[in-house]
């Protein structure tokens, strides 16, 4: 894999972000889940901190194991999401690449990724005696509904009051609209960048996308975030012009479903590159890439459009919609197969995956494989078992040049 | 006295056919938790609640990973094994991430209708109340699809009355257990409670009322100091574990199981105040690890519940892989330790119960409680 030059810029951006989070005196630190409407937090002049992002950084830099163990020693069961355990561990040991996260003054949690985050954030709120605001986003068993949208919009309005109480100043609607507009630009650029993987060879892989996800998660709604994705898009688009692929010889184009296995990024990169496999599409990075809303929900009102984008997430879809979406990705990105990560940590992503794999294979006629692992907990990863499963999958898959 | 209750639980598939024949109503499976059974009854159905079962899981392995809780796995196993074939449909709530997806799995298995009631978790009380109000008519519409008939004002009022009476009887059963230690055996107690999930409500009400009058008139059990426990967990543990408690002379004074103490502490639905009473029926009462109730900290409330029950120790019986429960365990453990209340945690995996090791740990715990005295 040829590393994208933007990587250095991203590191710089993220270092600056964590530095500010650790040192700020004037901005209230608000902890957020990755699917919470951060635009409100930026508009309120507060500083959002994402324990999920930090947990992923800990795992990617191989610093998660002692944190997981510390949390377990405190009585947190290995059955709970490893992001949460990593977070509890960083708090106990002040561990990870930034030496721990700043404690929250308040927390905002949205249920559009899972209900697990409610329990996680409740625990953090209890420990820090900090107020918690839950934005409840009903699961879309049968697609988006007007009632669900109105329910969320009502909570967005209440969130303004909650944040005003945290910052001590009135909530500024104008500033919110400006933030939302920046956020839309950034998510649009992110989506355009990911869509470039439709080209053959693909100029970017999902493994790149997993790495470059950090700013769209944490800085969504800031000018730096928009500028960063402009730069990234330019760089990836240049690769397309030059006909340059992300890996030397693309033979297989594959979809990755579920979170990455952060502690094995380099291993997967090498394994896939050696076999000519490009992860040309993935569901996870698309969570911040504004999936097209269903008909009837293309709102002109920016706040309504924002609510739609937060509700309309793959992990938040009923299975029919999930399968349709996966099938669409397979078709649009001209894929040759799919890999599903049965992620012990993430029940909303993984429970039901075995059936989805069968169904997707039946519908598309393409091979799919489920690998058992965990996004953050290396103890749940067995290399030999994974290699066997992936080799069998590769054998069953027809290469694009075959 | 307890035979009819045990009988109701003995053979679920046989029981379901009997219930269908006897009641003439379509049977509706109700998955955990907090969906008002009185709604199903008002819509012409007979609710049958499933809280997981102690059975080996084989078929469900093809659809659910091992890191899924045995409650979900065993419910799916029963469905796949045809043990729930008598059901006309299923009702789910969005209690946890696993159940949200389990509903999606169920609806792809067969054409039998399923309904989901999304429990709102919004912090904002207005949003929550408004949401509940709009969910009620939608739920009744879906229920009508499941049962083939619509609830009316009269049927709802009468079902709420019926289930309200049952709830009161169950509360009497709980308070009897609390006030008269040793009167009711552990297995018998939970059979009398859980039989309600597999009986016609009219019959259950009658049998429970009869049981209570007999128990209330029964002579005092022989005095003797038996360690009194508060039991905690998502669901009542398998019968083998209850039998073990009984055998070891450990005497539950109270519990907070979602199909036990949490359930009976909640009011039933009141058609006079739909949104308000539904809110109370879900969020009121003993705190539940699966719900977000602003201003309520279950860990802080817990020691008080134990003291009020007059229990000398707590037996935490978390279901394996139940995340909502697992998140709260450290705080609950710390709260109990700070209050000087001894606690023992034993994970429940009804797919395989290591009874011998459970017994050893329970014996040690009993000794500890006996030493520490009341
Ligand atoms: S990994 Fe899954 S369970 Fe964990 S916080 Fe993210 S969405 Fe929730
Ligand atoms: S036991 Fe826990 S994880 Fe399982 S269904 Fe119940 S609440 Fe969900």
């Amino acid at each position: 894999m040829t590393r994208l030059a933007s990587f250095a810029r991203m590191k710089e951006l993220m270092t600056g972000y964590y530095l500010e989070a650790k040192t700020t005196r004037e901005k209230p630190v608000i902890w957020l889940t990755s699917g919470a409407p951060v635009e409100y937090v930026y508009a309120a002049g507060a500083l959002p901190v994402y324990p999920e992002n930090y947990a992923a950084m800990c795992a990617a830099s191989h610093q998660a194991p002692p944190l997981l163990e510390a949390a377990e020693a405190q009585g947190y069961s290995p059955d709970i999401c490893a992001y949460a355990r990593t977070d509890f561990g960083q708090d106990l040991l002040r561990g990870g690449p930034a030496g721990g996260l700043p404690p929250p003054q308040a927390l905002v949690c949205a249920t559009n990724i899972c209900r697990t985050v409610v329990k996680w954030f409740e625990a953090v709120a209890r420990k820090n005696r900090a107020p918690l605001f839950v934005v409840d986003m009903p699961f879309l068993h049968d697609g988006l509904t007007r009632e669900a949208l109105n329910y969320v919009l009502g909570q967005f309005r209440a969130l303004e009051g909650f944040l005003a109480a945290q910052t001590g100043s009135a909530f500024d609607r104008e500033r919110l609209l400006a933030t939302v507009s920046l956020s839309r630009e950034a998510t649009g650029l992110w989506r355009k960048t990911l869509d470039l993987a439709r080209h053959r060879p693909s100029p970017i892989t999902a493994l790149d996308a997993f790495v470059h996800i950090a700013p769209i998660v944490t800085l969504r709604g800031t000018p730096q975030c928009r500028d960063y994705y402009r730069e990234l898009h330019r760089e990836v688009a240049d690769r397309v012009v030059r006909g340059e692929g992300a890996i030397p010889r693309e033979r297989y184009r594959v979809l990755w479903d579920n979170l990455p296995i952060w502690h094995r990024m380099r291993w997967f990169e090498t394994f896939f590159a050696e076999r000519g496999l490009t992860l040309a599409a993935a569901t996870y990075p698309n969570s911040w890439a504004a999936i097209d809303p269903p008909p009837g929900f293309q709102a002109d009102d920016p706040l309504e459009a924002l609510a739609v984008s937060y509700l309309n997430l793959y992990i938040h879809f009923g299975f029919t919609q999930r399968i349709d979406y996966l099938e669409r990705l397979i078709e649009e990105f001209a894929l040759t197969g799919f890999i599903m990560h049965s992620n012990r940590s993430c029940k909303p992503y993984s429970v039901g995956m075995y059936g989805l794999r069968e169904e997707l294979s039946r519908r598309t006629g393409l091979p799919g494989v489920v690998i058992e692992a965990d996004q953050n907990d290396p103890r749940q990863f067995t290399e030999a078992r994974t290699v066997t499963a992936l080799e069998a999958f590769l054998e069953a898959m027809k290469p694009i040049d075959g | 006295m307890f035979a009819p209750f045990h009988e109701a639980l003995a053979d679920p598939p046989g029981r379901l056919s009997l219930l269908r024949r006897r009641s003439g109503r379509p049977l509706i499976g109700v998955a955990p938790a907090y969906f008002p059974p009185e709604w199903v009854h008002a819509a012409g159905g007979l609710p049958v609640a499933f809280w997981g079962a102690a059975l080996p899981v084989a078929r469900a392995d093809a659809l659910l990973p091992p890191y899924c809780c045995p409650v979900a796995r065993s419910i799916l196993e029963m469905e796949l094994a045809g043990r729930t074939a008598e059901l006309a449909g299923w009702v789910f709530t969005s209690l946890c991430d696993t159940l949200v997806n389990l509903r999606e799995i169920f609806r792809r298995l067969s054409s039998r209708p399923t309904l989901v009631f999304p429990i709102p978790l919004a912090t904002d009380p207005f949003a929550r109340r408004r949401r509940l109000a709009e969910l009620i008519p939608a739920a009744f519409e879906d229920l009508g699809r499941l049962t083939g008939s619509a609830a009316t004002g009269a049927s709802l009022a009468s079902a709420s009355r019926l289930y309200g009476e049952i709830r009161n009887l169950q509360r009497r059963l709980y308070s009897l257990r609390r006030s008269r230690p040793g009167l009711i055996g552990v297995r018998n107690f939970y059979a009398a409670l859980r039989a309600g999930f597999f009986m016609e409500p009219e019959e259950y009400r009658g049998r429970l009322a009869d049981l209570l009058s007999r128990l209330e008139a029964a002579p005092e059990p022989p005095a003797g100091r038996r360690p009194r426990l508060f039991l905690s967990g998502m669901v009542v543990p398998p019968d083998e574990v209850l039998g073990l408690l009984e055998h070891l002379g450990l005497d539950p004074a109270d519990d907070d199981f979602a199909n036990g103490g949490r359930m009976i502490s909640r009011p039933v639905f009141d058609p006079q105040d739909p949104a308000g009473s539904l809110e109370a029926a879900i969020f009121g009462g003993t705190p539940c690890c699966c719900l977000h109730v602003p201003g309520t900290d279950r860990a802080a409330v817990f020691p008080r519940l134990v003291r009020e029950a007059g229990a000398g120790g707590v037996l935490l019986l978390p279901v394996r892989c139940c995340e909502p429960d697992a998140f709260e365990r450290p705080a609950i453990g710390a709260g109990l330790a700070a209050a000087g209340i001894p606690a023992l945690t034993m994970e429940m995996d009804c797919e395989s119960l290591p009874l011998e090791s459970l017994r050893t740990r329970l014996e040690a715990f009993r000794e500890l409680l006996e030493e520490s005295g009341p």
Side-chain angles (χ1 to χ4, degrees), chain B residues 170-178 254-255 260-261 264:
Chain B
Q170 290 173 327
R171 286 182 183 147
R172 256 169 72 195
L173 186 69
Y174 263 76
S175 84
L176 207 54
R177 172 172 76 167
R178 193 186 273 205
D254 205 347
D255 70 65
I264 67 133

Side-chain angles (χ1 to χ4, degrees), chain A residues 111-234:
Chain A
T111 58
N112 52 353
I113 52 169
C114 62
R115 295 170 89 83
T116 299
V117 285
V118 177
K119 303 315 299 174
W120 171 5
F121 272 42
E122 275 180 358
V124 179
R126 181 188 296 123
K127 163 118 199 263
N128 291 280
R129 295 177 196 280
L132 164 64
F133 189 96
V134 176
V135 183
D136 186 31
M137 304 210 191
F139 187 86
L140 306 183
H141 285 279
D142 295 295
L144 194 54
T145 62
R146 184 53 56 184
E147 292 75 30
L149 185 57
N150 289 341
Y151 174 47
V152 171
L153 281 166
Q155 295 176 77
F156 280 6
R157 282 191 291 276
L159 179 60
E160 294 179 8
F162 177 81
L163 291 169
Q166 300 311 313
T167 57
S169 40
F171 191 81
D172 184 343
R173 268 291 179 93
E174 287 305 311
R175 198 165 165 196
L176 173 66
L177 294 176
T179 311
V180 169
S181 157
L182 281 167
S183 166
R184 285 185 83 167
E185 268 190 84
T187 48
L189 286 160
W190 177 233
R191 165 127 184 216
K192 267 172 70 184
T193 308
L194 296 174
D195 277 351
L196 289 171
R198 291 166 193 237
H199 289 273
R200 279 159 56 173
S202 173
I204 183 171
T205 82
L207 293 172
D208 297 313
F210 295 148
V211 173
H212 290 268
I213 222 168
I216 199 71
V217 175
T218 53
L219 295 163
R220 207 162 64 244
T222 65
Q224 302 93 298
C225 180
R226 182 217 32 215
D227 297 348
Y228 172 71
Y229 285 103
R230 264 194 197 139
E231 199 178 310
L232 180 69
H233 178 258
R234 201 174 308 122

Side-chain angles (χ1 to χ4, degrees), chain B residues 35-111:
Chain B
F35 189 85
E38 53 274 24
W39 288 9
V40 179
H41 199 266
L46 182 63
V48 199
F50 290 84
W51 293 89
L55 47 85
V57 168
R59 295 168 179 84
D61 262 336
L63 291 172
L64 285 181
Y67 52 81
C68 214
C69 76
V71 171
R73 282 167 60 85
S74 61
I75 292 176
L76 181 61
E77 182 70 21
M78 291 184 79
E79 176 81 356
L80 293 174
R83 292 163 65 100
T84 48
E86 294 281 356
L87 300 180
W90 277 95
V91 167
F92 290 85
T93 67
S94 60
L95 192 70
C96 65
D97 291 327
T98 297
L99 284 169
V100 167
N101 283 16
L102 189 66
R103 190 263 175 155
E104 288 297 311
I105 293 176
F106 266 62
R107 69 199 298 210
R108 301 190 91 70
L109 284 179
S110 77
S111 53

Side-chain angles (χ1 to χ4, degrees), chain A residues 300-370:
Chain A
D300 290 331
D301 176 64
L303 296 185
E304 188 169 318
L306 188 74
V308 167
S309 72
Y310 279 115
L311 275 161
N312 204 39
L313 298 182
Y314 172 77
I315 193 178
H316 207 46
F317 290 163
F319 287 3
T320 300
Q321 223 183 326
R322 281 194 198 184
I323 286 259
D324 289 348
Y325 180 67
L326 294 174
E327 196 179 4
R328 210 164 61 234
L329 285 179
I330 285 174
E331 201 185 302
E332 288 175 0
F333 285 75
L335 305 180
T336 54
F338 58 94
I339 298 172
M340 291 179 149
H341 167 203
S342 167
N343 180 358
R344 190 185 163 92
S345 264
C346 191
K347 306 218 169 35
Y349 233 132
S350 309
V351 170
M353 180 175 266
Y354 300 165
L356 291 186
R357 184 191 80 92
E358 295 283 318
E359 218 172 316
L360 191 59
S361 272
R362 227 181 7 253
R363 276 215 213 168
T364 60
L366 295 179
V369 66
V370 172

Side-chain angles (χ1 to χ4, degrees), chain B residues 103-152:
Chain B
R103 190 263 175 155
E104 288 297 311
I105 293 176
F106 266 62
R107 69 199 298 210
R108 301 190 91 70
L109 284 179
S110 77
S111 53
R112 262 195 300 176
T114 62
L115 170 167
V116 66
F117 186 85
I119 297 175
L121 296 181
T123 295
D124 177 35
F126 303 108
R128 183 188 290 236
R129 182 67 76 92
R130 259 199 316 273
R131 175 83 177 143
L132 281 173
E134 70 192 21
L135 286 172
I136 296 171
F140 276 109
E141 206 181 305
D142 284 349
L143 263 179
R145 246 183 338 104
L146 263 66
T147 60
S149 53
T152 63

